Structures are given as C-alpha cells and as structure tokens.
Amino acid sequence: MAQEAPTPAPAPAPATPAPAPEQIVAGLSRDNIGITTSFDGSQILIYGAVKREAPEPDDEKLAVIVTLEGPLGPVTIRRKSREFGIWVNTASVGVAAAPSYYAVATSGPMDEILPPRVDTQQRISIPLAMRAFSGPLEVEDSKPFTEALLRIRERQGLYEMETGGVHIVDNTLFRADFDLPANLTEGDYKTRIFLLRGGKLVDQYQSAIEVRKVGLERWLYTLAHQQAALYGLLSLALAVFAGWAAAAIFRFVR
C-alpha cells in the first residue's frame, strides 16, 4: 500500500522587529507652499516629540538633527582661467544630483553629536548631500570644485547650516524653524528628522512639503512648457504692444 507523504510543516512567520525604545512623533506647520509673482520666501516650523517605551537613559545625551532638502538636479561646476588675456573655461566637474536647497538644523555641534559613519550612511551634512559625480573626472582633485559650489549656494541662501537650530524641551519636545528664500525651485521638498543618543541613531522620520507655482505664475509656467509656440506668440504680441505703447506715450509727452 502506498503511503502518503507527510505534510510539510508551515514555514515560521517572520519575526516582527521590536519597536525602537524611543520613537519620533512629528508634524509640519504646513505641507505645501504656493509660489506666486509676489512670493518673497516662507517659513516652515518642524516640531515633534520623543515617544518612549521605557525610562530615558541617564548616561547618554539626546540629540536631534533636522534636514530640509529640495529637488535634486545635475550641476556642472566650471573653472575659469586667463588664457592669452581672455577668461575661458579650462576645467569642469559634473555632479549627478545636487539639492536645489538644503538646510540642516542641529541641537548641538555636528562633530559632537553625529558620528562620521552615520553621516556617510544617511548623507546628513551638506557636503555629503550631493550625490556621485557624473561621468569620469577630468581633474585630479575635485574638492575645490565642490567647495566652490557650496560657497555659491551658501551666498544665495540655498545651503544653510544652523547649529543649535533645534530646540529641545525636557528631552522630549523639539522644534526647528526654517526660513525659505524667495528663489525656491518648484518640486517636492523632503524633511528628515534624526534622533540620536550617545552617538547612535535611534530613530528617524521623513515627510514631504509640496512647493508649486500657483496663479498667474503657474499658468505662464505651464504655457511655456506645454504650449511653447503659443507662449512665443503671446510674448511677441506683448513685446509689440509694449513698443507701440511706449512710442505713443513718447509722442504724447512731446
């Protein structure tokens, strides 16, 4: 008599990871920003609390880092040199993706609360926020090029580092304020919160802020990108009308 094969035992269910002893509960003062013709910047408040499942450790200091990152885009950094009395581009370095805006706020000095290993893994500091280079490098040392990009965007208010910008109350509540410049790029802005204790990453939180052109600004942007021919004709008609109006006013004044 044929014997039935034994029924295989069911595979054990994957173990559910234990919750972090401390977790971030956070929110934003607003999750969208409208760019209009009169837009001159905005302010974002990022706030939250630390949820604990056990008593707070006494021997390790709590630290919080908050980052706000704009849309990524390729950037080419060029170096000019004087050749035969003329300034020309002699070398360039391409960055595959650099944030259009990047701000970091910390509860303490970065070199004291953020280990290099965690910074490398999470790309928290401003220099590491830029992604890999695009294409082969044509220069021996790329550091002066990336440093130049950082200086330019810092002067434009697009890259900011604020030590002490995160305020912690009773080791539980925290907040960080970001002043956004007027020259924002449209897109989705990513905010990240990192909770560290004793140099170890305990928990992290991520959310998004939508930045979009609205009103007349949005209509012109959409027209220029989706109906370029019509946009060109309207621009030409506006230029002709402006020239005619200026000539008419000049004749009237004379």
Side-chain angles (χ1 to χ4, degrees):
M1 177 182 292
Q3 296 182 351
E4 294 182 0
T7 303
T16 303
E22 296 179 296
Q23 297 178 328
I24 299 171
V25 181
L28 309 174
S29 61
R30 56 194 304 186
D31 57 9
N32 63 84
I33 297 175
I35 300 178
T36 63
T37 53
S38 60
F39 180 75
D40 59 355
S42 183
Q43 187 178 67
I44 293 293
L45 167 63
I46 301 174
Y47 57 92
V50 181
K51 178 183 177 182
R52 297 186 175 91
E53 300 294 340
E56 179 186 5
D58 295 330
D59 56 343
E60 296 178 338
K61 186 177 180 180
L62 179 74
V64 177
I65 300 176
V66 182
T67 68
L68 184 57
E69 178 181 350
L72 300 174
V75 178
T76 300
I77 313 161
R78 295 182 173 87
R79 179 172 63 195
K80 292 182 179 292
S81 299
R82 195 176 182 87
E83 302 290 340
F84 305 104
I86 302 175
W87 288 98
V88 295
N89 295 325
T90 56
S92 64
V93 169
V95 177
S100 59
Y101 173 84
Y102 195 79
V104 183
T106 69
S107 60
M110 183 80 85
D111 56 351
E112 295 181 5
I113 65 176
L114 181 64
R117 176 181 56 83
V118 178
D119 190 16
T120 302
Q121 292 174 349
Q122 303 295 333
R123 294 183 175 273
I124 299 174
S125 62
I126 294 178
L128 291 181
M130 291 186 292
R131 305 306 191 259
F133 295 106
S134 59
L137 291 177
E138 301 177 356
V139 297
E140 295 182 0
D141 186 9
S142 62
K143 187 176 180 179
F145 290 82
T146 55
E147 289 178 344
L149 176 62
L150 294 179
R151 288 195 304 270
I152 292 172
R153 296 202 165 177
E154 285 173 357
R155 287 198 300 265
Q156 295 173 339
L158 296 175
Y159 286 1
E160 297 179 313
M161 171 68 194
E162 187 174 357
T163 301
V166 178
H167 305 281
I168 303 178
V169 180
D170 295 333
N171 276 353
T172 301
L173 305 176
F174 63 86
R175 62 173 290 168
D177 296 272
F178 291 91
D179 293 318
L180 304 180
N183 52 340
L184 287 180
T185 300
E186 185 182 31
D188 293 329
Y189 284 62
K190 179 174 65 177
T191 177
R192 297 183 297 166
I193 305 174
F194 299 93
L195 181 67
L196 303 104
R197 185 176 286 281
K200 298 179 181 178
L201 181 61
V202 178
D203 193 23
Q204 56 182 306
Y205 172 91
Q206 180 173 316
S207 185
I209 301 172
E210 186 181 43
V211 177
R212 294 287 184 270
K213 294 181 174 68
V214 296
L216 178 62
E217 189 83 3
R218 182 64 184 177
W219 181 78
L220 292 174
Y221 179 85
T222 303
L223 186 67
H225 286 79
Q226 297 183 4
Q227 302 184 38
L230 179 58
Y231 178 81
L233 290 175
L234 288 176
S235 300
L236 180 61
L238 181 61
V240 171
F241 174 77
W244 173 84
I249 293 173
F250 183 75
R251 287 195 302 269
F252 176 80
V253 172
R254 293 186 61 184

